[in-house]
Amino acid sequence: MTSEPARWTQATIYADMWVDPENDPRESDGVGPDGELATLQDYLANYRLTLLMKCEGLDAEQMARRSVPPSTMSLLGLLRHLVEVERDWHNWIGDDDPLPKLYGKRDADFDGAVAEQTEVDAAYANLVREQAATDAALARHPDLGERVGKDRIAIRELMVHRIEEYARHCGHADLLRECIDGRVGQ
């Protein structure tokens, strides 16, 4: 007997998919977006949705479950981390004093990810709020070559970095979810 969960998927067509293509909210039958900005926004939206799909249907204990010692990584920790990252990106756009961290010192986003439903609910709400704030700030700068903030970062660089951050953490989420209940998929 083993305590490891059996691998499983909801997909019936391709065993390595999260769900069947017709049930995947990231899939569209239409033509991809036109233009660089629209393409970057589409990729970001899909990675954001992928992360949420990886967290879907889990309780507070499962969301806060750590990967392997000594790592403090958990799905809840990833959500909280991305809240801080979105806030950091928003800070990079403006010239104002930076907004403070929500969860405290370095790694508090992971360290404070405890198995309480109020923490999970707060992380989801904070993520939605910080994503919207960053998106709104970026919407005022549609020129991808424009440089903003004290560090004069290009909007294009910021957009690509956002995609990279979500994509990397979606990879972590794949492994975390499989360890929790065996669910696999793209």
Side-chain angles (χ1 to χ4, degrees):
M1 245 13 246
T2 178
S3 63
E4 292 180 23
R7 297 182 87 214
W8 67 281
T9 178
Q10 285 185 342
T12 59
I13 300 171
Y14 304 106
D16 63 337
M17 294 184 76
W18 190 255
V19 295
D20 288 326
E22 65 270 6
N23 297 323
D24 193 334
R26 299 164 300 178
E27 295 291 323
S28 71
D29 293 330
V31 177
D34 287 329
E36 186 179 2
L37 178 59
T39 300
L40 293 171
Q41 290 168 331
D42 187 58
Y43 270 84
L44 178 61
N46 282 328
Y47 278 119
R48 284 175 168 176
L49 184 53
T50 298
L51 181 69
L52 295 177
M53 290 169 70
K54 295 296 177 172
C55 297
E56 188 176 74
L58 299 177
D59 62 28
E61 185 280 322
Q62 291 169 314
M63 288 290 294
R65 193 178 297 169
R66 308 290 191 210
S67 57
V68 292
S71 176
T72 59
M73 189 176 291
S74 66
L75 288 169
L76 178 56
L78 285 177
L79 289 180
R80 290 164 50 103
H81 172 69
L82 286 164
V83 167
E84 294 289 19
V85 169
E86 287 283 354
R87 186 168 267 230
D88 284 344
W89 289 326
H90 189 193
N91 284 335
W92 293 351
I93 297 167
D95 293 320
D96 300 331
D97 289 334
L99 299 168
K101 293 208 171 280
L102 289 178
Y103 299 115
K105 65 177 179 53
R106 180 179 174 90
D107 292 331
D109 39 4
F110 289 101
D111 294 337
V114 296
E116 295 175 9
Q117 192 59 48
T118 56
E119 289 295 323
V120 173
D121 295 342
Y124 279 116
N126 290 338
L127 185 60
V128 168
R129 184 190 64 245
E130 295 302 322
Q131 287 173 338
T134 304
D135 291 347
L138 283 170
R140 294 190 292 274
H141 304 279
D143 177 359
L144 293 172
E146 182 182 357
R147 295 193 170 273
V148 296
K150 294 174 184 170
D151 294 331
R152 309 308 299 155
I153 187 169
I155 296 297
R156 178 180 290 103
E157 183 181 353
L158 185 55
M159 290 295 296
V160 170
H161 185 59
R162 292 172 85 197
I163 294 165
E164 177 271 332
E165 186 84 12
Y166 276 92
R168 182 164 48 98
H169 291 313
C170 282
H172 295 133
D174 283 339
L175 297 174
L176 287 163
R177 181 64 188 249
E178 189 172 353
C179 285
I180 291 167
D181 67 359
R183 186 155 182 200
V184 297
Q186 83 289 6

